[in-house]
Amino acid sequence: MSWTGDPPDGAWPLEVEDLTVAYPGGPALLERVALRAAPGEILGLLGPSGCGKSTLLRHLVGLERPRRGRIALFGRDLWADEGAQMDLLRRRFGMMYQGGALFGDLTLLENVVFPLREFTDLPLKAAEAAARLKLSLVGLAGFEHSQPASLSGGMRKRAAIARALALEPKLLFLDEPSAGLDPVTSAGLDQLIVTLARNLSLAFVMVTHELGSIMTAVDRAVLFDRELRGVAAEGSPAFLASELAGPQAAAFFRRAKLDRGAQSRLKAENGHF
Amino acid sequence: MSPTFRVQGPEAGRLSLFGPLTAQAPGRIWKALLARRDLRGTLTLDLGGLSALDLNGAAQLLWLRETLGGRGLAVSFEGLAEAYAPIWRLAENSLGPPTPPPPQPDAISRLGRLATEFLADVAALIAFLGELLPRLAGLALRPWRGRWTLTLRLAQTAAVDALPVTALVAFLVGLILAFQSAMFMKLFGVDIFVADLVGLSVVRELGTLLTAIVLTGRSGSAFSAELATMKTNQEIDAFLTMGLSPTRDLALPRVLALTAATPLLTVLADFAGLLGGDVVMIALGHPAAAFWTELSQHLDASDVSTGLFKAIVFGFTVAAVGCQRGLAAGSGPEAVGQAATRGVVSNIVILAALDSLFAVVFYVLDW
Ligand SMILES: Nc1ncnc2c1ncn2[C@@H]1O[C@H](COP(=O)(O)OP(=O)(O)OP(=O)(O)O)[C@@H](O)[C@H]1O
Ligand SMILES: [Mg+2]
């Protein structure tokens, strides 16, 4: 299932070396972070609340300037050139924010059509068909003309995923896509992510706490820790859930171990959405 | 670079597609195809030459089939490589017909809605007043329960920070008023009365009104925006569910702050306006003291108290209306801007109406 091998022409969608994650003037939240995502790979970022996962994503997409370290997207250094080059690079990935960050004065359809209108020259109706497809894939068919303010939190979250998928970029950052969703919807989203990763070679970098997502969708996971201020363990979900991955992973996955039965049930049900 | 998407045909009811079909496909290809009015019967799209197909590409094909189908042209696909089948199936199974947009209200129902909204606005303002006044009375009975630190801080931003702009505007208005009237009164040699004209206008009317308008723009709109933002963030809901009263804890301190700040600012605005008048008098060759001597003969305590009384009422109104508009805001980012605009507009209309009312009442009472 999971992706193996080297990316074509040596360009990894995401490559991070020796990154220090911090807010300007604040203490370092994470240090010596090294990450790598291959095309079509689903990389999970795990860790306790407040350890700096969202902040790490802010660094990866170029919203915060790293104090130290290197971030390369598709083989290009993110901070090599801050002008038009950085904007071009930014158009090659999608980002879903933890809070959704939908444009409040646009309908859902307009939110998803927006990047298509800006960055393609498709006829408007074709772009709208593509946007409707994305909304329908996250289970929001019929809500195209709703305003974000009139939706539930989970619906806004799903709409935000649809918007991040609008251009089908080869690299997607998702901040807790399935947190707060019911298990059925959440499993459906995992299924969608896996389908897109396998068939379109989209690389996903997603922050998640959901055991279901970790065990069924994620190919490789990195576990961060607040005390260590860095990576506590890294590997396949099965490895992290085993006794070999160290005390932090053991604490994180304690529930998983208690719940092996539920886990295998989840695996069996995966795909029936 | 990578090959671009292109098509061949349509010839004999066939269109062959080549290259990667994604969101980056040139839109003019589809526009050109849709512009062809001579196509009849069936059109077969040969997908065998595609080197990539993503959801955006599949959506374009489905949209094409739908649009051309609406013109009576049956579109079919063939030759899709097995590798693209999962994405194609996903798209085909998910993309339904477009949802019709919600109906737009016609002109008459819009007019009716505007009228009911206006009446509801007025009713809401009155209801808010009915909520605020008992809170004010409650505070008078138990003053130690008030949020005085917040009130003081708000009064400080409302009054102290507004000093320069209020003084400047009042000074310039006094100057202009004196200058315009002096031009005319000098012809008759009665330019000394400019002092009375400027003095009475500024102290009874303009000083108060200018201060109230400056505070509407500076503080009233800020109150609306602050409270509307809290409303959008569900902070107001949190207040309510904790059994707290947004009127008491959020609106009342603001209302008290502005009610206290406005008379103080008005005194300053009065002085600045008079100073503007004096400057013109000096420029006309009168000694600096002449202006004040003349003024002291015609301006009495009731003129000053009229202005200050109005200032108290205006300060209360500006804050109360600003807060009410904020608390009544809808949700979403637009709502914050709307609340601020509506607060300012309502305030200016209400200030003008109140001032006219006061003019009549004071005339009748001979105050
Ligand atoms: N804008 C900011 N400025 C300064 N510090 C911040 C800012 N936002 C968050 N922090 C701090 O950074 C730390 C990490 O926050 P972050 O949002 O990255 O956590 P997280 O790992 O995403 O947590 P969660 O799982 O709860 O979303 C927190 O301790 C927080 O106090
Ligand atoms: Mg977070």
Side-chain angles (χ1 to χ4, degrees):
Chain A
M1 261 294 250
S2 63
W3 189 92
T4 46
D6 275 334
D9 62 32
W12 301 79
L14 173 74
E15 202 175 5
V16 174
E17 284 161 12
D18 192 23
L19 180 71
T20 296
V21 172
Y23 279 102
L29 297 167
L30 299 170
E31 284 171 327
R32 286 182 296 282
V33 175
L35 294 173
R36 194 177 262 192
E41 187 178 35
I42 304 174
L43 178 68
L45 305 181
L46 325 180
S49 175
C51 73
K53 303 179 298 295
S54 298
T55 314
L56 170 62
L57 283 192
R58 288 180 62 83
H59 282 73
L60 298 186
V61 300
L63 288 174
E64 304 284 343
R65 182 192 274 277
R67 197 172 284 177
R68 179 196 164 96
R70 173 173 175 272
I71 300 167
L73 302 176
F74 304 103
R76 298 226 175 86
D77 203 322
L78 183 59
W79 289 94
D81 172 8
E82 284 174 47
Q85 194 64 42
M86 192 172 193
D87 280 343
L88 278 181
L89 210 49
R90 279 177 163 163
R91 281 176 211 167
R92 296 185 59 184
F93 60 80
M95 165 89 179
M96 185 220 118
Y97 293 86
Q98 195 166 4
L102 295 172
F103 303 127
D105 51 349
L106 301 181
T107 64
L108 290 198
L109 187 69
E110 290 165 343
N111 259 286
V112 184
V113 166
F114 189 76
L116 289 164
R117 283 181 66 151
E118 286 292 312
F119 300 125
T120 73
D121 71 344
L122 295 180
L124 180 62
K125 290 288 170 197
E128 280 180 359
R132 277 194 288 119
L133 172 58
K134 307 294 161 60
L135 283 171
S136 149
L137 286 175
V138 296
L140 286 174
F143 291 94
E144 287 88 351
H145 303 293
S146 305
Q147 299 281 335
S150 68
L151 294 181
S152 77
M155 290 163 91
R156 259 177 257 168
K157 194 155 242 185
R158 286 184 276 147
I161 298 174
R163 188 181 66 183
L165 281 173
L167 289 166
E168 282 162 81
K170 290 293 181 193
L171 175 62
L172 274 133
F173 297 99
L174 308 178
D175 200 347
E176 303 199 14
S178 47
L181 298 183
D182 67 278
V184 178
T185 311
S186 163
L189 267 185
D190 292 339
Q191 189 56 46
L192 175 66
I193 289 171
V194 171
T195 307
L196 296 180
R198 299 295 171 262
N199 290 293
L200 296 175
S201 290
L202 309 190
F204 286 86
V205 176
M206 63 176 189
V207 174
T208 177
H209 299 304
E210 302 296 305
L211 272 179
S213 303
I214 298 170
M215 303 315 285
T216 57
V218 167
D219 295 321
R220 202 158 49 79
V222 180
L223 175 71
F224 296 100
D225 186 73
R226 204 172 9 211
E227 267 72 58
L228 293 179
R229 282 207 252 137
V231 178
E234 183 175 355
S236 70
F239 168 73
L240 286 186
S242 73
E243 290 79 10
L244 304 169
Q248 290 86 4
F252 194 91
F253 280 89
R254 192 158 293 140
R255 268 231 14 108
K257 284 177 192 160
L258 289 176
D259 222 9
R260 275 276 152 80
Q263 234 181 73
S264 44
R265 269 207 309 283
L266 260 170
K267 279 219 161 122
E269 278 171 18
N270 181 22
H272 295 264
F273 180 60
Chain B
M1 266 287 292
S2 51
T4 51
F5 174 71
R6 62 200 168 76
V7 299
Q8 228 173 57
E11 282 151 18
R14 283 185 78 82
L15 183 75
S16 305
L17 282 60
F18 301 95
L21 181 50
T22 66
Q24 299 308 329
R28 62 188 144 73
I29 291 182
W30 302 141
K31 284 175 194 145
L33 186 65
L34 291 179
R36 292 275 300 257
R37 296 282 162 174
D38 55 331
L39 301 172
R40 292 281 175 279
T42 60
L43 180 68
T44 305
L45 267 56
D46 182 359
L47 308 179
L50 288 183
S51 62
L53 179 75
D54 66 5
L55 290 168
N56 283 324
Q60 290 170 59
L61 294 177
L62 292 166
W63 162 75
L64 211 59
R65 183 168 73 183
E66 171 94 29
T67 311
L68 292 176
R71 297 187 188 169
L73 188 68
V75 176
S76 61
F77 304 107
E78 63 171 46
L80 184 71
E82 195 48 44
Y84 308 136
I87 287 298
W88 174 255
R89 271 199 305 274
L90 188 65
E92 197 173 27
N93 293 338
S94 308
L95 189 62
T99 315
Q104 295 294 323
D106 58 38
I108 292 181
S109 51
R110 268 208 301 271
L111 194 68
R113 189 165 306 164
L114 274 179
T116 27
E117 265 171 22
F118 174 75
L119 291 179
D121 263 6
V122 175
L125 260 181
I126 294 172
F128 182 69
L129 214 58
E131 214 179 318
L132 194 62
L133 291 177
R135 296 287 178 192
L136 205 58
L139 188 67
L141 292 180
R142 276 174 305 188
W144 60 92
R145 296 282 300 275
R147 301 182 64 187
W148 296 114
T149 334
L150 174 65
T151 310
L152 260 178
R153 195 166 52 72
L154 288 165
Q156 187 181 331
T157 31
V160 180
D161 299 354
L163 278 179
V165 61
T166 317
L168 179 70
V169 172
F171 175 80
L172 290 178
V173 167
L175 193 95
I176 293 162
L177 194 63
F179 187 70
Q180 293 290 350
S181 47
M183 291 289 91
F184 187 69
M185 286 156 100
K186 208 168 158 34
L187 292 178
F188 301 92
V190 290
D191 43 340
I192 186 65
F193 292 123
V194 167
D196 304 305
L197 191 141
V198 172
L200 280 175
S201 320
V202 165
V203 170
R204 283 191 76 104
E205 284 291 339
L206 292 178
T208 316
L209 206 55
L210 280 177
T211 309
I213 289 174
V214 167
L215 286 180
T216 299
R218 272 193 93 253
S219 305
S221 59
F223 293 169
S224 306
E226 277 165 25
L227 296 187
T229 309
M230 293 181 74
K231 177 92 184 239
T232 342
N233 292 342
Q234 295 189 315
E235 288 174 51
I236 303 289
D237 295 346
F239 256 94
L240 289 170
T241 44
M242 280 189 236
L244 296 168
S245 155
T247 312
R248 189 191 62 202
D249 292 332
L250 298 175
L252 198 57
R254 287 171 169 77
V255 169
L256 286 176
L258 223 54
T259 312
T262 315
L264 299 180
L265 268 180
T266 301
V267 172
L268 178 94
D270 287 352
F271 266 114
L274 295 179
L275 215 59
D278 197 15
V279 166
V280 173
M281 293 297 280
I282 293 170
L284 288 177
H286 295 276
F291 182 87
W292 305 101
T293 320
E294 172 64 25
L295 204 58
S296 65
Q297 284 164 15
H298 290 100
L299 194 75
D300 56 32
S302 84
D303 294 320
V304 179
S305 62
T306 313
L308 292 186
F309 174 74
K310 285 202 295 192
I312 293 175
V313 177
F314 286 176
F316 180 89
T317 311
V318 167
V321 172
C323 289
Q324 194 275 332
R325 289 294 182 247
L327 288 173
S331 52
E334 275 175 356
V336 176
Q338 260 170 22
T341 309
R342 288 161 62 111
V344 169
V345 171
S346 314
N347 257 325
I348 286 175
V349 173
I350 292 173
L351 283 179
L354 272 181
D355 205 29
S356 325
L357 186 73
F358 278 134
V360 175
V361 171
F362 290 152
Y363 176 76
V364 172
L365 293 181
D366 196 18
W367 196 11

